[in-house]
Amino acid sequence: MSEAHHPAGSPNWQIYQGIRRPHDGVGRLPEPPPWRTFTGGPPLRTPPGDSGNPHAAASYRPGAEAIRQVNAALYLRRPLLVTGAPGTGKSSLAYAVAHELGLGKVLHWPITSRVALRDGLYEYDPLTRLYGAERARDGGKPSTDDIGDYLRLGPLGTALLPFEKPRVLLVDEIDKSDFDLPNDLLTIFEKGSYELVELARRAAPTARVMTADSTTDRVEIREGTVTCRAFPLVVMTSNGEREFPPAFLRRCVTVNLKQPATVEELTAIVREHLVGVVGQDGELPDGARKIIQRFFERRSSGLLANDQLLNAIYMCHHASFSEQPESVLELADQVMPFLSGDVPQNHDD
């Protein structure tokens, strides 16, 4: 492959660079391994639009390990399991990849204990369909029943459509799921396909259905089955609150996002998010730097998340117009409560 196809200064094999600027590098993604080849069709273009979270996409700073593992997931066509403490950017990683590689809007599937596999694949509304048929009969009108009006693909179901380029699916907080969901996902991830039972049972199992992208634009489902073409980049986030089955883990690429280890790393994160709000000429004011130092020191006493630091600096920047410096730092502590661990009795040390 010619060097002209690669972003300047980038390693040839890495498609996702973490540079936060869109490029067409995904076009040089090689053919998948033979055991991860999917043949769905006809091919669909990625819907227009960016990631859906422009701030996260443009401000996220991935580490070298995260960049390597994202690329491993892209090459191997495997899900990416992202673990780490709250506020380390697990969800932001999905938006950053979609933005840089031009993969369209991130399909977001938030997980709770009540979520089942079917919820992510598609929804069918038989009651509304029944009421519509009854109204047509009562009005003496011929039935114009279209099952596609009552079927809508979910985030997972949409991600598995036969797109030419992989879509990004964010499965958020999978450790909150029912015990069976990770195992249920295994078959879907291995086959890259699923069946819409309500269509498969029909004499003519073809329909144009709604997707998670749009309720107006439809896609055609043939023979009641969806099969992917480019396996999606599935980013599953976990706070490490549970263990996953070995069969599930061996089918995932994993990465653990670490908390920033130094004041300088924290300062770089704050600069990316807030320098246009609280700073000037690319520099942070002294008050912001004091709060960063305070956050770094307090972190040894209990769990704190990076977004708490951002909230504290934003609030204290505005409070500093009318409050004394001591009161501003007290406000910072209040905006940065410990999330776990032994809370010290005195924060003034």
Side-chain angles (χ1 to χ4, degrees):
M1 192 68 71
S2 170
E3 287 294 326
H5 293 285
H6 307 309
S10 66
N12 289 353
W13 78 278
Q14 289 189 342
I15 291 166
Y16 171 62
Q17 302 288 321
I19 58 176
R20 295 173 290 173
R21 297 191 306 272
H23 60 80
D24 60 357
V26 74
R28 59 186 178 88
L29 186 66
E31 293 296 316
W35 55 91
R36 297 296 294 163
T37 299
F38 304 98
T39 58
L44 300 175
R45 292 187 178 275
T46 303
D50 202 7
S51 67
N53 190 335
H55 178 76
S59 61
Y60 182 68
R61 297 171 59 89
E65 181 183 3
I67 292 173
R68 284 195 301 269
Q69 296 302 79
V70 166
N71 281 284
L74 286 168
Y75 272 79
L76 298 173
R77 277 68 171 183
R78 290 292 185 185
L80 180 68
L81 179 61
V82 186
T83 59
T88 49
K90 299 185 294 294
S91 299
S92 296
L93 178 59
Y95 294 99
V97 176
H99 171 72
E100 181 177 321
L101 298 184
L103 300 180
K105 184 178 180 180
V106 171
L107 295 160
H108 184 206
W109 187 20
I111 301 299
T112 69
S113 60
R114 299 179 299 277
V115 165
L117 178 64
R118 170 71 176 263
D119 300 317
L121 291 175
Y122 69 96
E123 297 177 353
Y124 173 57
D125 188 355
L127 290 179
T128 301
R129 187 183 182 194
L130 177 61
Y131 294 152
E134 290 178 346
R135 286 195 299 269
R137 285 197 301 268
D138 293 343
K141 299 178 181 179
S143 176
T144 57
D145 180 41
D146 180 358
I147 192 172
D149 292 336
Y150 311 101
L151 279 167
R152 186 179 186 186
L153 305 186
L156 174 59
T158 301
L160 290 171
L161 286 169
F163 290 107
E164 293 178 319
K165 297 190 296 184
R167 295 293 301 274
V168 177
L169 171 66
L170 173 59
V171 184
D172 218 356
E173 299 193 334
I174 192 173
D175 44 2
K176 292 184 177 179
S177 70
D178 175 83
F179 179 81
D180 292 327
L181 182 61
N183 284 324
D184 292 341
L185 286 169
L186 288 180
T187 300
I188 298 295
F189 290 158
E190 288 303 297
K191 293 176 59 179
S193 68
Y194 63 95
E195 182 181 69
L196 289 84
V197 176
E198 291 77 10
L199 282 184
R201 291 174 177 170
R202 288 162 51 92
T206 298
R208 295 185 61 81
V209 305
M210 298 175 284
T211 72
D213 288 314
S214 173
T215 57
T216 55
D217 297 333
R218 304 285 187 98
V219 296
E220 185 174 74
I221 306 300
R222 300 178 179 179
E223 304 303 321
T225 301
V226 171
T227 301
C228 73
R229 190 176 187 90
F231 189 79
L233 176 64
V234 182
V235 179
M236 300 180 292
T237 71
S238 167
N239 291 326
E241 297 175 357
R242 64 180 282 188
E243 293 185 358
F244 296 103
F248 178 79
L249 292 175
R250 74 180 179 85
R251 289 174 171 86
C252 296
V253 175
T254 61
V255 61
N256 182 35
L257 301 185
K258 306 293 186 182
Q259 289 277 19
T262 65
V263 170
E264 289 72 23
E265 290 180 14
L266 284 170
T267 302
I269 291 173
V270 173
R271 185 181 292 114
E272 291 293 341
H273 285 272
L274 287 175
V275 73
V277 178
V278 305
Q280 292 181 345
D281 300 324
E283 293 298 324
L284 296 173
D286 289 341
R289 295 182 180 276
K290 289 180 181 179
I291 295 173
I292 293 171
Q293 182 66 40
R294 194 175 188 89
F295 176 87
F296 183 77
E297 293 170 354
R298 293 180 74 238
R299 204 173 63 180
S300 62
S301 299
L303 180 62
L304 293 171
N306 296 341
D307 54 356
Q308 293 176 286
L309 172 61
L310 298 175
N311 290 335
I313 291 176
Y314 179 85
M315 283 297 303
C316 291
H317 167 71
H318 292 285
S320 65
F321 295 126
S322 57
E323 299 278 352
Q324 295 298 317
E326 295 79 8
S327 299
V328 171
L329 288 178
E330 182 179 349
L331 173 62
D333 288 350
Q334 293 170 346
V335 178
M336 301 186 296
F338 291 99
L339 304 178
S340 68
D342 296 330
V343 181
Q345 296 299 311
N346 188 346
H347 302 325
D348 296 331
D349 297 338

